[in-house]
């Protein structure tokens, strides 16, 4: 109701109302979420006191005090985990015999709801920041070209800009709600192929399962590999492996023990239904086993015998590449994650040879 | 514009327009999709001539001439595949030594966009139809109670109505977009527990992957197990196994070779993040290995050695129950789907013992 309307109503006569009033909509609030702490029992109280739930964002919360990060990875000055070169050097490069570390970032304008042009500008700016603040400081570091794939032509231009720089060894495509086999992403793969860059995929907070995000962080986290599985299916059925025969791929942080299942199921379906996708010229498993690597982190809770059974099922020891996922909470230490009882040559392939071959690093 | 308006406009004077006219919106159509056949090349022409694409429904098509059904399963009178008892008896009950066949239907009001009350009425009507037209004709047949789980209280009433009938041995919950761990489905599980009914899950056309339905039938079909994986996760994290300690479950037609991965990943996450779900009292793998069965169909294209490796990884030979999926195109014959070279006692467990124990059938 406007002021004018109100004035008109007053002017229609009658006396001022002086009786009791019921206001049926008044919005009180509290000052901060922690005002609710005295009124909660555990475990809900802890969700707020440890800062895990801040009333926004995902439907679930991070229960650990440091959220998704390793407790010791935050710099003493309060800067974000993973933002300090000296600490990263101390905690991984100097602690383990790491010859090359591939920076994958955690700033992905692909997942931000924003204008396409601004997303592209942010991705390009971040790549320049990485060049100046990270790559320039340590020759062991290599980087991923971050992209805003929602504008594939702009993403291709960014790949063409940085592709000649040998310190950028891969492009990084975030896994969320995007089916990268869809034709409008082809310019990105064309550009990666022009510069012989690895195409890496990494999940983001935007990834969901077949049933959505779920209500718990553990639920979301258990289901994260479904995004990688569906991405591989999308690449295969849309013929990306055929259209770009030189491209190599790497699936990061999505596991690998689901791979025997997916390869068997893909091949079985291909044998029955290949008429639907005549542009796919061979069994899906053949493309994947030849041209896709999988990072080990997060290694799963299973035995040495099962590691070996998985390798026997896959029929190759060239698939896995090691990763720590520093500085995140489920960091994999080279000393504990890959079982010591595995054969020495398999451990060497996982820790070094397979990635060395993927990226073409010279010894 | 109304007639009245038009009349008014005519009446404002001037002469009738006699010059040329451009009509910028006229909707022509064709008589039937096959009118486009002469204008298409293969493989697109075949999509229409074989009836695979009818211009409606899912984003993908069934390429086989009989759609999702076995070519020989349609009755001679043109009735739908799976609708004729005599043909079903001949094609499976008399062809193989099947002592019990669990009817799972393909009519699921859960996936129909309709009023809750009508969906419930349809489910109840279908259950009565199954009782009269199927169960009454052959004592080898057992049935699933079809439900409209979108109204959990009504579904529970239907379970209470049919639960005392020993011919109904399970309830069937369709996998689509529903997270059955969510508390509002609890009345369904309570009712199933009251009547000691198995809770079976089966995917529907509504199931999607982490990246949606995809554009191809093969893509959708490869990714179907993601619905079952996410359903198991939902049941675990929401404490359904703890709330209903006597309930047993069965996952139908979603595979099982992904299970080692899912169990390892669930247990690893539980060890790190169990604080978030304090109502879950033990490792997820323990619940699943003790209380969930998995139907074999569709068996995957893999070797006897890999069947045995999978069983070694799971540490039990009590998980798998046999299924044909009659009358669907990817029908599993008892003579070919479970490898003959598997140990005799394992084949016996898969073909009979495990399901006999699950449903409590008396020999």
């Amino acid at each position: 109701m406007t002021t004018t309307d109100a004035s008109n109503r007053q002017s229609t006569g009658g006396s001022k109302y002086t009786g009791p009033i019921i206001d049926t909509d008044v919005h009180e609030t509290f000052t901060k979420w922690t005002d609710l702490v005295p009124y909660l029992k555990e475990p809900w109280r802890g969700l707020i006191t440890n800062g895990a739930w801040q009333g926004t964002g995902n439907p679930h919360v991070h229960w650990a005090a440091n959220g998704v990060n390793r407790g010791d990875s935050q710099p003493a000055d309060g800067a974000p985990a993973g933002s300090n070169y000296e600490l990263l050097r101390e905690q991984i490069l100097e602690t383990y015999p790491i010859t090359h570390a591939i920076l994958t970032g955690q700033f992905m304008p692909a997942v931000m709801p924003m204008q396409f042009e601004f997303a592209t500008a942010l991705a390009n700016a971040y790549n320049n920041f990485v060049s100046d603040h990270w790559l320039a400081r340590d020759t062991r570091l290599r980087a991923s070209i971050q992209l805003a794939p929602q504008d594939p032509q702009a993403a291709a231009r960014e790949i063409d800009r940085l592709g000649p720089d040998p310190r950028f060894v891969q492009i990084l495509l975030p896994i969320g709600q995007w089916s990268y086999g869809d034709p409008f992403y082809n310019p990105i793969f064309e550009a990666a192929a022009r510069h012989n860059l690895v195409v890496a995929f990494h999940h983001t907070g935007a990834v969901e399962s077949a049933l959505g995000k779920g209500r718990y962080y553990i639920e979301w986290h258990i289901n994260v590999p479904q995004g990688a599985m569906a991405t591989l299916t999308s690449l295969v059925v849309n013929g990306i492996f055929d259209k770009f025969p030189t491209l190599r791929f790497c699936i990061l942080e999505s596991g690998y023990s689901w791979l025997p299942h997916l390869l068997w199921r893909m091949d079985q379906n291909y044998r029955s239904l290949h008429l639907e996708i005549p542009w796919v010229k061979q069994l899906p498993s053949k493309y994947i086993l030849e041209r896709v690597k999988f990072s080990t982190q997060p290694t799963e809770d299973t035995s040495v015998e099962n590691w070996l059974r998985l390798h026997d099922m896959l029929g190759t020891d060239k698939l896995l590449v090691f990763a720590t996922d520093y500085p995140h909470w489920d960091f994999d230490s080279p000393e504990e994650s890959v079982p010591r009882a595995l054969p020495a040559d398999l451990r060497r392939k996982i820790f070094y040879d397979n990635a060395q071959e993927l990226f073409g690093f010279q010894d």
Side-chain angles (χ1 to χ4, degrees), chain A:
Chain A
M1 187 180 291
T2 66
T3 305
T4 306
D5 285 332
S7 301
N8 286 341
R9 298 217 175 172
Q10 293 297 336
S11 70
T12 58
S15 58
K16 180 182 177 184
Y17 177 77
T18 56
I21 291 174
I22 296 175
D23 179 349
T24 60
D25 188 20
V26 179
H27 296 279
E28 88 298 342
T29 187
F30 40 66
T31 307
K32 52 193 183 305
W33 298 112
T34 48
D35 290 351
L36 297 179
V37 166
Y39 304 94
L40 287 166
K41 293 180 181 173
E42 292 294 358
W44 316 118
R45 174 187 287 234
L47 271 187
I48 293 184
T49 56
N50 72 10
W53 187 72
Q54 303 183 356
T56 55
N58 279 324
H60 44 67
V61 298
H62 302 291
W63 279 71
N66 288 76
V68 297
N69 296 309
R70 245 174 72 162
D72 64 350
S73 66
Q74 184 168 24
D77 64 2
S83 68
N84 184 304
Y85 162 68
E86 286 78 13
L87 189 59
L88 177 143
R89 183 181 62 192
E90 173 195 329
Q91 294 190 321
I92 63 167
L93 298 178
E94 303 297 325
T95 302
Y96 311 107
I98 291 173
T99 65
H100 302 79
I102 317 295
L103 301 171
T104 50
Q106 34 192 318
F107 177 75
M108 299 182 180
V111 301
M112 302 173 192
M114 55 167 54
Q115 305 95 315
F116 287 12
E117 300 81 359
F118 186 33
T120 295
L122 281 174
N124 300 8
Y126 185 75
N127 291 330
N128 290 342
F129 165 84
V130 168
S131 176
D132 286 354
H133 290 263
W134 289 92
L135 296 176
R137 298 176 86 159
D138 197 312
T139 58
R140 289 170 290 191
L141 300 176
R142 298 291 188 280
S144 311
I145 301 176
Q146 302 289 347
L147 301 169
Q150 54 267 58
D151 184 346
Q153 285 74 19
R157 287 193 293 275
E158 180 67 353
I159 295 169
D160 282 334
R161 182 175 77 89
L162 292 173
D165 184 337
R167 302 173 306 166
F168 287 92
V169 296
Q170 66 184 11
I171 67 169
L172 198 145
L173 292 176
I175 297 176
Q177 302 298 302
W178 313 288
S179 293
Y180 287 112
D182 286 350
F184 51 83
Y185 293 115
N186 283 359
I188 294 175
F189 295 118
E190 287 167 7
R194 271 198 295 280
H195 298 283
N196 198 29
L197 290 161
V198 169
V199 177
F201 296 94
H202 194 295
H203 73 266
T204 63
V207 75
E208 299 193 356
S209 83
L211 296 177
K213 281 204 169 175
R215 290 189 284 122
Y216 306 105
Y217 177 73
I218 188 174
E219 183 175 13
W220 174 81
H221 199 257
I222 286 171
N223 290 331
V224 156
Q226 295 193 2
M229 295 184 218
T231 296
L232 279 174
T233 307
S234 176
L235 297 181
V236 166
V237 302
N238 287 283
I240 298 299
F241 290 94
D242 301 271
K243 287 181 189 168
F244 307 101
T246 62
L247 273 188
R248 310 278 305 275
F249 303 85
C250 189
I251 303 283
L252 295 167
E253 201 180 343
S254 285
Y256 50 91
S257 61
W258 41 264
L259 192 57
H261 156 72
L262 188 66
L263 296 180
W264 298 338
R265 189 168 176 98
M266 281 181 167
D267 284 358
Q268 180 207 41
N269 277 274
Y270 183 81
R271 289 192 177 98
S272 298
L273 302 168
H274 59 87
L275 272 176
E276 192 188 9
I277 47 172
W279 43 85
V280 180
K281 300 300 185 191
Q282 58 182 18
L283 285 175
S285 65
K286 194 163 161 60
Y287 295 111
I288 292 173
L289 291 173
E290 287 178 355
R291 293 168 56 191
V292 186
K293 306 288 190 203
F294 298 82
S295 79
T296 48
Q297 191 275 340
T299 51
E300 290 161 356
D301 282 351
T302 191
S303 65
V304 172
E305 290 71 26
N306 285 337
W307 277 75
L308 295 174
R309 289 187 183 108
L310 275 173
H311 276 84
D312 287 340
M313 286 173 163
L314 294 167
T316 172
D317 55 9
K318 294 181 183 301
L319 286 189
L320 301 188
V321 295
F322 178 75
T324 62
D325 191 35
Y326 180 89
H328 292 146
W329 68 273
D330 46 353
F331 174 86
D332 263 0
S333 160
E335 296 177 355
E336 295 168 17
S337 56
V338 179
R340 296 181 183 206
L342 286 178
D345 68 319
L346 177 57
R347 295 178 80 203
R348 162 94 187 187
K349 282 178 174 137
I350 293 171
F351 279 126
Y352 186 79
D353 293 350
N354 291 343
Q356 189 269 332
E357 186 263 337
L358 175 66
F359 294 111
F361 293 142
Q362 304 300 315
D363 283 316

